[in-house]
Amino acid sequence: MVTCFIQVLLLVVSTLFHGVLAAEYLVGVGKDETTGKKGIGFDPSAIHPVAGDVIVFEFRSGQHSAVQSTFDTPCVGNGGFNSGVQTVSGALAVDAPGLPTVRLTVNDTNPLWFFDEAGGDCSKGGVLAVNPTEAQSAAAFRDNASKAPVPNTSSSSSTSASIPTNSLATTTSTPSSKSHSVRGWNFHVYLVLGGLLLAPIVAFL
Ligand SMILES: *[C@@H]1O[C@H](CO)[C@@H](O)[C@H](O)[C@H]1NC(C)=O
Ligand SMILES: *[C@@H]1O[C@H](CO)[C@@H](O)[C@H](O)[C@H]1NC(C)=O
Ligand SMILES: CC(=O)N[C@H]1CO[C@H](CO)[C@@H](O)[C@@H]1O
């Protein structure tokens, strides 16, 4: 009887959690999704979040950035999201704890396109497709990227490019802290709710 009640309770609580808490999509930047090792690209390189979900870009060792582009020009920033250049010690393992992350909340299911600008390997597969469609697939995006002109990686142009990306990173931190507090609030409510529901069981036992 008690077991049954607990099972129902767990079901109710997990349903509430699932319905209210947005999903997080952890995407490794500078990680080869086929080998699981440090390398070119995003892991995974295609995701399907819905409105309210959060993409958490996690940066592997080396210099990487997640920059929003377009389907037709995959390797050129479109002025949208830019994580800023993240520099991580080459000594750190691919899934080392405490790697830097930058969060982006997804507001709808329209396609979004990203490339690793700082990694400089856009044309070799350093691209991420968010909600690709049949007409604009992840494979076609990757194919477009492979045909993109190789970015000019002369030292003078890369240093000047890192200044605006860093300043953009500060502006993108505002929505992420907001989503933190929303999440924290939900969690708090469910802790209280869970406590109230569990109290009679504990008393019963
Ligand atoms: C979703 O909306 C938030 C708040 O307006 C904004 O900061 C964020 O960049 C938007 N996400 C995308 C993918 O445009
Ligand atoms: C790359 O940039 C440098 C300096 O900005 C320039 O001199 C050079 O011609 C460029 N190379 C290509 C292939 O565009
Ligand atoms: C720039 C470029 O190559 N654009 C292509 C992207 O992919 C679509 C569909 O495959 C093509 O129609 C574009 O020409």
Side-chain angles (χ1 to χ4, degrees), residues 105-177:
T105 303
V106 172
N107 302 311
D108 50 44
T109 48
N110 294 333
L112 299 169
W113 313 101
F114 298 89
F115 71 110
D116 180 356
E117 186 174 53
D121 290 314
C122 178
S123 65
K124 291 184 203 145
V127 290
L128 166 70
V130 176
N131 288 317
T133 62
E134 229 171 283
Q136 298 193 326
S137 67
F141 179 54
R142 189 178 286 253
D143 193 50
N144 271 0
S146 72
K147 293 178 207 144
V150 176
N152 192 337
T153 48
S154 80
S155 56
S156 66
S157 65
S158 63
T159 12
S160 63
S162 68
I163 295 158
T165 52
N166 273 332
S167 61
L168 268 166
T170 11
T171 61
T172 56
S173 64
T174 323
S176 64
S177 59

